[in-house]
């Protein structure tokens, strides 16, 4: 839902219809400019000035030719260079630095010379105004600030046009010519320390142009005297959702010189295409004015209710509005209710902890921080793929910290049933703005624009400030904007344990960000002595961003972006500053440019590696056990009365470039151990082994009751001997229910190799629906020095768990068969492969951490040389562990086009199983 707002001195402001997306054509009267292409060039070369550059017929034959992205925008300065082959394979090794230099400050002015001057973005368009029509240029925010020119005339200056999430319209009726017209935008370098734009914090290397450019489309609105826009609904839902009272609002504008009267009409159509509800109202609008039409309340009995995907369906209602003789709008909205409360007051959380409910059902947030493409290139199909990955992992929330994408993104999330925790960036001008009148007005404008963009998307369930709470004047300014937008979702004062004058206590906390051991996540008794609870990330309360830091990709992915020397340093030099971590050097504290703390834990816990392959294998296991522990701990302790664990957001789910730091899946979609560990923890019906008290917890993350459920827990030593075998039958769990201590396996205090395994099997109606295997130390445990750890983004360890006995596992014998059929699957998949893996060892030898991949191969069953991994796969399970006689069938969907004419084969390998291939 989009609307033009803003204050422009000396320029008439008019209303525009909602922003179009890649999924739909422009509404009548609204045109996205530059759809056929833009030309872009630095002002160091294009020195002619705006009056000439914006004149139709100006020669741009030597400029960079740019295609708009799926949002209809030309993008950033670097995007223009990349589209013109100025830096092939920009994400390989440190090519970005070689091509463009290094941006040295995450929140500051551009420091690379070629981007430190303004750049021009130019496009031509046709216009033809009929008698009585008016035309408005719509600028949907910029990254930086901009002078705007049309047909040789300066329409607005950079003192007005700034802010990433603002929106302005400028009356250009008297400027446009019939036929060819030209738009030229001079973009001044982005400076996030002084502008309400965006930055990349410490997530990665910084884009050398500071993302300066145009992220959202610039549009032309052609309207008759009366036009309608800003259409949206205000919901008042019954507590039991038996009815929903819907109030439709819309703005009608009059661009004429006399008062006008017309009929505005709103139509609500049910998701199933049932009988629409239509209501009309006469409206009179003074000359050059705007009136908000509030239609009579409409009550929908027994509405179709929107739910997150694991809990129900995602029906979307449509809203169409028209004004007689004018334009029309088309929107969608979902009917659902979000509530939030502070619960479980305790010494660690004196104000309580933040809990959310959807449609009256409390749920545990299990999310990940979401990052856009590093150069802000919006790709609708790529977002669809990432949603498929997120849902495959079982996450129910993504967090948007200050990088708010185009409307197509929100529409896709609505359809997918994925919840969005939206909000502001930390560590820049958003967090520490000045309180002069101009800045406060810009904050109000930004909040109103964001509120109008997000208010009718049922996926958006909250909006929050980042690290710091707002000052009183900043809070008031932004809340005024949200109120003006009719934004009704909960707004939270901080992502840390802080409070603000109007919103009160946040009930959230942050951190850690670097390595902590699995048992860290189960801690509920330690917290910092300060009042913001940062880096006290155990499973109590709501943690808005936290993880154990580095993620090591698979070898397939590593070979796509790390050079030979990068790969050598990865396994041989833990203190090497990896370009694909981030820009910070060293390690310890808030320095994340090396994998030092991760590697220190890896060598101490699993033993020293001998080459890149063995390093990557160990890293997969450590990442898997840690991400699984993080999510499982927050489910396990969600039943606590004092400071229950109500949510964890993994930092981060993804990255906008290939990375070694903070991700669950890589830029290429690589699904490493971190991915499958998170996936295992978030199965819809799942048993977990709580490592703080050695009990078994069962949870039901679905929207329906699960009955006739049984759980079996087996304990093995490394020689395959069964040390304990317990079970419980006849369990039933209601939606979102967590049942603690359904079993307490007897675990050894000593065992061969000082390691034991726990295998959990969940059956429903006597069919295995969940298999979960743990490897735990018998003697030396992970011991945290809490006095040195609290307040720091990584753990200080007194001792590490001894899991080196896993290196002595005997070789296992494993067989596999695979078959492929044509079948539709998620994300456009058209093939499904079933891989049956069996441990055929004649001795009681476990097949540990077995991984399968679909690859491009030959008819004879061999792999093709080079990069042969099929990357469109979505597995139902992977990285599995089996004992002799056990078998598991893995199901994977993928796109046949990824074969590129090859024959599918499946590779299988494991910790103690050599790699082999089978035909699929």
């Amino acid at each position: 839902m989009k609307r033009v707002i803003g204050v422009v001195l000396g320029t008439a402001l008019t209303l525009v219809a909602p922003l179009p997306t890649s999924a739909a054509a422009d509404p009548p009267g609204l045109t996205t400019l530059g759809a056929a292409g833009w030309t872009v060039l630095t002002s160091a070369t294009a020195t002619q000035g705006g009056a000439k550059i914006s004149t139709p017929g100006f020669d741009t034959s030597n400029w960079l030719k740019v295609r708009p992205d799926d949002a209809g925008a030309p993008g950033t300065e670097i995007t223009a260079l990349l589209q013109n082959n100025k830096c092939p394979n920009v994400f390989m090794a440190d090519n970005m630095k070689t091509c463009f230099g290094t941006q040295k400050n995450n929140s500051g002015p551009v420091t690379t010379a070629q981007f430190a001057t303004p750049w021009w973005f130019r496009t031509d368009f046709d216009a033809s105004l009929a008698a009585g029509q008016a035309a408005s240029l719509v600028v949907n925010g910029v990254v930086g600030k901009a002078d705007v020119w049309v047909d040789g005339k300066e329409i607005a200056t950079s003192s007005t046009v700034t802010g990433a999430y603002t929106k302005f319209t400028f009356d250009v009726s008297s400027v446009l010519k019939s036929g060819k017209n030209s738009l030229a935008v001079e973009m001044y370098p982005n400076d996030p320390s002084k502008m309400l734009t965006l930055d990349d914090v410490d997530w990665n290397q910084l884009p050398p142009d500071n993302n300066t450019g145009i992220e959202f489309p610039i549009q032309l609105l052609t309207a008759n005297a009366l036009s309608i826009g800003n259409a949206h609904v205000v919901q008042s839902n019954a507590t039991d959702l038996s009815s929903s009272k819907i109030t439709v609002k819309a703005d009608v504008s009059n661009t004429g010189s006399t008062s006008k009267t017309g009929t505005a009409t709103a139509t609500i159509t049910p998701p199933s295409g049932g009988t629409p509800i239509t209501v009309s109202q006469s409206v009179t609008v003074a000359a050059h004015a705007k009136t908000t039409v509030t239609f009579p309340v409409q009550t929908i009995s027994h509405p179709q209710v929107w739910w997150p995907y694991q809990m129900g369906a995602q029906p979307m209602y449509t809203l169409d509005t028209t004004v007689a003789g004018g334009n029309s709008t088309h929107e969608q909205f979902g009917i659902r209710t979000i509530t939030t409360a502070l619960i479980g007051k305790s010494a660690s959380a004196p104000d309580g902890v933040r809990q959310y409910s959807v449609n009256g059902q409390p749920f545990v947030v299990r999310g990940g921080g979401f990052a856009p493409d590093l150069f802000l290139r919006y790709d609708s199909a790529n977002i669809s793929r990432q949603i498929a990955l997120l849902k495959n992992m079982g996450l129910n929330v993504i967090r948007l910290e200050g990088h708010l994408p185009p409307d197509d993104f929100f529409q896709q999330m609505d359809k997918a049933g994925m919840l969005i925790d939206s909000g502001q960036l930390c560590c820049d001008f958003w967090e520490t703005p000045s309180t002069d009148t101009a800045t406060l007005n810009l904050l109000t404008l930004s909040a109103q624009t964001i509120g109008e963009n997000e208010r009718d998307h049922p996926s958006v369930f909250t909006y929050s400030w980042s690290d710091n709470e707002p000052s009183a004047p900043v809070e008031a300014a932004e809340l005024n904007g949200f109120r003006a937008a009719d934004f009704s979702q909960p707004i939270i004062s901080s992502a840390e344990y802080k409070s603000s004058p109007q919103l009160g206590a946040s009930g959230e906390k942050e951190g850690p960000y670097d390595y902590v051991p699995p048992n860290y996540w189960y801690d509920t008794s330690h917290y910092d002595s300060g009042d913001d609870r940062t880096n006290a990330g155990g499973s109590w309360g709501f943690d808005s961003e936290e993880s154990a830091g580095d993620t090591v990709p698979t070898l397939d992915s590593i070979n796509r972006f790390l050079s030979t020397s990068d790969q050598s340093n990865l396994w041989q030099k833990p203190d090497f500053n990896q370009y694909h971590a981030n820009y910070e050097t060293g390690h310890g504290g808030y320095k994340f440019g090396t994998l030092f703390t991760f590697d220190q834990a890896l060598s101490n816990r699993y033993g020293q590696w001998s080459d890149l392959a063995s390093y990557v294998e160990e890293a997969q296991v450590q990442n898997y056990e840690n991400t699984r522990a993080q999510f499982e701990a927050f489910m396990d302790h969600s039943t606590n009365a004092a400071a229950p664990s109500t949510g964890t957001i993994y930092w981060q789910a993804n990255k906008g470039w290939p990375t070694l730091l903070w991700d669950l899946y890589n830029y290429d979609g690589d699904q490493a151990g971190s991915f499958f560990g998170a996936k295992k923890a978030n199965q819809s019906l799942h048993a977990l082994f709580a490592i703080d008290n050695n009990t078994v917890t069962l949870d039901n993350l679905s929207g329906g009751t699960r009955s006739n459920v049984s759980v079996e827990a087996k304990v093995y030593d490394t020689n395959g001997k069964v040390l304990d075998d317990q079970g419980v039958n006849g369990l039933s769990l209601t939606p979102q229910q967590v049942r603690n201590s359904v079993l307490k396996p007897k675990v050894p205090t000593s065992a061969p190799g000082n390691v034991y395994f726990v295998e959990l099997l969940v059956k429903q109606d006597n069919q295995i629906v969940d298999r979960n295997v743990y490897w735990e130390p018998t003697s030396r445990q992970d011991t945290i020095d809490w006095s040195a750890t609290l307040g720091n983004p990584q753990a200080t360890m007194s001792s590490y768990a001894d899991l080196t006995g896993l290196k002595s596992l005997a070789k296992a014998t494993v067989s596999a068969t695979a078959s492929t059929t044509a079948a539709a699957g998620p994300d456009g998949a058209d093939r499904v492969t079933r891989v049956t893996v069996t441990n055929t060892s004649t001795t009681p030898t476990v097949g540990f951490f077995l991984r399968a991949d679909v690859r491009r191969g030959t008819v004879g069953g061999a792999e093709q040389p080079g990069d042969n991994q099929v990357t469109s796969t979505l597995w139902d399970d992977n990285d599995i562990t089996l004992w002799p006689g056990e078998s598991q069938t893995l199901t994977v969907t993928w796109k046949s086009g990824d074969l590129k004419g090859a024959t599918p084969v499946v590779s299988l390998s494991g910790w103690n199983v050599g790699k082999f291939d089978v035909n699929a």
Side-chain angles (χ1 to χ4, degrees):
M1 304 285 287
K2 308 290 180 179
R3 178 196 166 197
V4 177
I5 52 175
V7 177
V8 184
L9 296 178
T11 305
L13 287 183
T14 57
L15 194 68
V16 299
L19 182 68
T21 73
S22 60
D26 290 330
L30 187 66
T31 303
T32 294
L33 302 184
W38 291 71
T39 52
V40 177
L41 195 64
T42 173
S43 65
T45 303
T47 59
Q48 296 91 338
K52 290 185 177 180
I53 290 174
S54 66
T55 300
F58 180 80
D59 183 12
T60 59
S61 58
N62 294 322
W63 286 37
L64 301 170
K65 307 301 187 292
V66 176
R67 302 178 308 277
D69 63 14
D70 285 349
T76 66
E77 295 159 357
I78 285 182
T79 295
L81 292 166
L82 294 178
Q83 285 197 24
N84 288 269
N85 299 313
K86 299 301 182 182
C87 190
N89 206 0
V90 65
F91 288 150
M92 182 66 191
D94 63 353
N95 283 357
M96 183 172 73
K97 178 174 68 175
T98 301
C99 293
F100 304 126
T102 300
Q103 170 61 23
K104 298 178 181 178
N105 190 334
N106 74 295
S107 180
V110 171
T111 58
T112 48
Q114 67 176 314
F115 304 117
T117 57
W119 281 54
W120 284 101
F121 290 71
R122 188 186 186 282
T123 192
D124 295 323
F125 62 97
D126 291 326
S128 179
L129 298 183
Q133 285 189 319
S136 299
L137 186 73
V138 184
V139 181
N140 294 295
V142 293
V143 183
K145 58 182 182 178
D147 294 334
V148 180
W149 296 75
V150 174
D151 291 353
K153 180 178 179 180
E154 190 169 35
I155 303 301
T157 69
S158 60
S159 62
T160 294
V161 182
T162 186
Y165 309 114
T166 52
K167 187 175 295 185
F168 302 96
T169 74
F170 308 99
D171 187 349
V172 292
S173 304
S174 62
V175 178
L176 297 186
K177 305 174 180 66
S178 180
K180 187 71 68 178
N181 295 266
S182 297
L183 164 69
V185 180
E186 186 174 20
M187 285 301 314
Y188 292 85
N190 179 33
D191 183 351
S193 68
K194 298 178 180 178
M195 301 175 184
L196 294 173
T197 51
L198 49 82
D199 68 83
D200 276 66
V201 198
D202 54 1
W203 302 350
N204 35 248
Q205 294 291 338
L206 304 172
D209 62 354
N210 247 2
N211 281 148
T212 303
I214 303 171
E215 185 181 8
F216 302 109
I218 295 179
Q219 298 159 305
L220 183 71
L221 175 67
T222 303
N224 294 328
L226 290 182
S227 62
I228 194 166
N230 190 30
H232 61 285
V233 301
V234 178
Q235 299 180 33
S236 178
N237 301 325
T239 302
D240 62 358
L241 291 163
S242 60
S243 66
S244 176
K245 293 181 178 179
I246 301 293
T247 301
V248 177
K249 292 185 176 182
D251 290 340
V252 177
S253 295
N254 178 8
T255 60
S257 57
T258 61
S259 175
K260 300 287 183 182
T261 298
T263 299
T265 301
T267 300
I268 299 171
T269 305
S272 58
T275 303
I277 299 171
T278 299
V279 59
S280 297
Q281 187 161 313
S282 178
V283 57
T284 298
V285 188
H288 304 297
K290 176 184 68 179
T291 296
T292 297
V293 177
T294 301
F295 292 90
V297 175
Q298 302 298 306
T299 299
I300 300 176
S301 297
H302 306 292
Q304 298 182 54
V305 177
W306 187 97
W307 289 90
Y309 73 96
Q310 291 165 318
M311 301 169 70
Q314 295 78 49
M316 296 292 291
Y317 287 77
T318 59
L319 169 65
D320 294 282
T321 67
T322 62
V323 63
N327 63 321
S328 62
T329 70
H330 180 79
E331 325 292 339
Q332 287 192 314
F333 65 94
I335 293 178
R336 60 99 180 94
T337 301
I338 298 293
T339 54
T340 186
L342 295 172
I343 65 171
K345 291 183 179 182
S346 66
S348 60
D351 294 319
V353 299
R354 179 67 54 189
Q355 183 188 59
Y356 289 96
S357 298
V358 57
N359 301 326
Q361 174 68 65
F363 66 97
V364 177
V365 167
R366 297 165 285 105
F370 192 92
D373 176 81
L374 186 63
F375 305 128
L376 305 183
R377 298 169 294 187
Y378 186 75
D379 183 332
S380 183
N382 176 265
I383 295 302
S384 177
R385 171 62 180 167
Q386 293 196 61
I387 289 173
L389 289 166
L390 292 163
K391 292 176 69 172
N392 184 262
M393 272 191 294
L395 300 193
N396 59 3
V397 168
I398 62 162
R399 181 180 170 205
L400 301 177
E401 186 185 6
H403 281 263
L404 307 180
D407 197 59
D408 175 73
F409 180 93
F410 293 96
Q411 289 188 26
Q412 290 203 47
M413 293 293 174
D414 292 341
K415 183 178 179 180
M418 180 68 67
L419 291 167
I420 298 173
D421 179 351
S422 185
Q424 295 181 184
L425 267 170
C426 84
C427 318
D428 61 11
F429 197 55
W430 283 100
E431 190 163 80
T432 55
S434 58
T435 55
D436 59 273
T437 300
T439 299
L440 292 177
N441 287 342
L442 192 60
L443 285 165
T444 300
L445 171 60
S446 299
Q448 186 170 351
T449 305
I450 292 167
E452 291 175 343
N453 292 348
E454 299 184 8
R455 63 192 168 195
D456 276 345
H457 288 290
S459 55
V460 178
F461 76 104
T462 187
Y463 185 93
S464 69
W465 268 264
S466 189
D467 294 6
N468 290 343
E469 76 283 13
S471 65
V474 168
E475 180 182 40
E478 294 197 47
L479 291 182
N480 285 341
F482 282 116
R483 277 190 289 268
D486 284 331
F487 183 80
S488 61
Q489 307 315 315
I491 300 175
I492 309 303
S493 58
S494 174
E496 295 183 355
Y497 206 79
K498 297 177 178 178
S499 63
S500 64
Q502 292 190 53
L503 296 173
S506 71
E508 300 186 6
K509 59 177 182 172
E510 290 184 346
Y513 302 93
D514 206 345
Y515 185 79
V516 296
N519 62 359
Y520 176 101
W521 302 115
Y522 279 86
D523 180 74
T524 60
S525 60
H526 294 91
Y527 56 93
D528 56 309
S529 57
D531 59 3
D532 64 8
R533 302 301 187 262
T534 298
N535 293 317
S539 52
W540 58 271
F542 183 103
D543 202 305
S544 61
E545 53 181 58
E546 61 177 346
S547 74
D550 302 307
T551 295
V552 176
T554 64
L555 277 172
D556 290 294
S557 185
I558 284 172
N559 286 327
R560 295 181 189 122
F561 71 97
L562 292 186
S563 67
T564 301
S565 61
D566 289 336
Q567 294 182 27
S568 177
N569 288 322
L570 182 63
W571 72 273
Q572 295 185 84
K573 296 181 179 180
D575 58 352
F576 178 77
N577 289 297
Q578 286 283 352
Y579 188 74
H580 280 270
N582 75 356
Y583 57 85
E584 295 160 331
T585 59
H587 57 83
Y590 285 90
K591 297 176 181 177
F592 307 117
T594 77
L595 280 73
F596 182 86
T597 55
F598 177 89
D599 288 351
Q600 188 176 44
L602 189 65
S603 61
N604 277 280
R605 300 176 84 246
Y606 287 97
Q608 192 60 41
W609 46 89
S610 57
D611 54 20
L612 178 62
S614 59
Y615 170 78
V616 171
E617 179 71 27
E618 285 192 26
Q620 301 308 301
V621 175
Q622 178 159 287
N623 277 144
Y624 183 106
E625 66 158 340
N626 208 301
T627 56
R628 177 178 62 178
Q630 177 178 335
F631 286 105
E632 287 186 341
F634 273 78
M635 290 306 303
D636 185 49
H637 290 160
S638 64
T639 58
N640 291 357
S645 49
T646 56
T648 179
I649 295 181
Y650 189 93
W651 205 249
Q652 295 166 286
N654 73 326
K655 283 295 181 61
W657 79 326
T659 187
L660 299 168
L661 173 67
W662 299 332
D663 78 320
L664 292 172
Y665 57 89
N666 214 345
Y667 186 75
D668 57 1
D670 182 58
Q671 299 157 45
S674 57
F675 180 95
F676 288 112
K679 175 178 173 60
K680 178 56 63 179
N682 290 299
Q683 296 289 102
S684 61
L685 182 60
H686 179 63
L688 64 90
F689 181 60
I691 58 177
D692 58 340
N693 59 14
N694 296 333
T695 62
V696 175
T697 290
L698 185 67
D699 60 58
N700 172 20
L701 303 181
S702 75
T705 297
R706 297 294 188 94
S707 301
N708 197 23
V709 176
S710 65
V711 182
E712 182 180 14
K714 291 184 178 180
V715 181
Y716 297 85
D717 67 18
T718 53
N719 292 327
K721 180 181 179 181
V722 177
L723 305 178
D724 188 49
D725 188 353
Q726 298 184 29
V728 59
N729 301 313
L731 300 176
S732 180
L733 284 82
T734 57
Q736 303 298 302
Q737 184 180 0
V738 177
R739 292 186 62 168
N740 302 107
S741 300
V742 298
L743 290 172
K744 187 174 177 62
K746 298 176 182 177
V747 300
T749 56
S750 64
N754 297 315
V755 177
Y756 67 93
F757 295 95
V758 177
E759 181 187 38
L760 304 180
L761 297 176
V762 179
K763 294 182 180 180
Q764 186 176 20
D765 298 328
N766 209 34
Q767 298 294 316
I768 295 176
V769 295
D770 183 47
R771 181 193 303 270
N772 197 3
V773 176
Y774 298 79
W775 45 100
E776 298 295 330
T778 59
S779 54
R780 195 174 74 230
Q781 308 289 323
D782 287 310
T783 305
I784 300 167
D785 180 350
W786 284 103
S787 63
T789 295
L790 287 173
N792 289 311
Q794 62 281 116
T796 297
M797 304 299 295
S798 300
S799 65
Y800 289 95
D802 182 8
L803 297 167
T804 57
L806 292 171
K807 283 185 169 291
S808 301
L809 288 176
K811 294 294 182 182
T813 304
V814 172
S815 68
T817 60
S819 62
T820 299
T821 57
D827 188 38
D830 59 0
R831 293 292 186 273
V832 58
T833 298
R834 291 176 175 83
V835 185
T836 299
V837 184
T838 305
N839 186 333
T840 59
S841 301
T842 56
T843 58
T845 304
V846 65
F848 179 52
F849 214 72
L850 307 174
R851 179 186 172 95
D853 283 286
V854 180
R855 300 186 179 277
R856 290 180 286 274
T858 66
V859 175
E863 297 178 20
Q864 288 188 345
D867 186 359
N868 56 36
Q869 185 188 41
V870 173
T871 57
S872 59
T873 55
L874 290 172
W875 294 85
D876 69 341
D877 201 359
N878 217 327
D879 290 339
I880 64 173
T881 297
L882 298 172
W883 276 265
E886 288 189 329
S887 181
Q888 183 172 345
T889 297
L890 308 177
T891 300
V892 57
T893 60
W894 47 281
K895 298 177 181 178
S896 60
D898 284 354
L899 283 179
K900 301 177 181 178
T903 299
V905 299
V906 171
S907 68
L908 195 84
S909 61
W911 180 275
N912 58 336
V913 175
K915 183 181 179 182
F916 64 93
D917 299 301
V918 296
N919 277 317

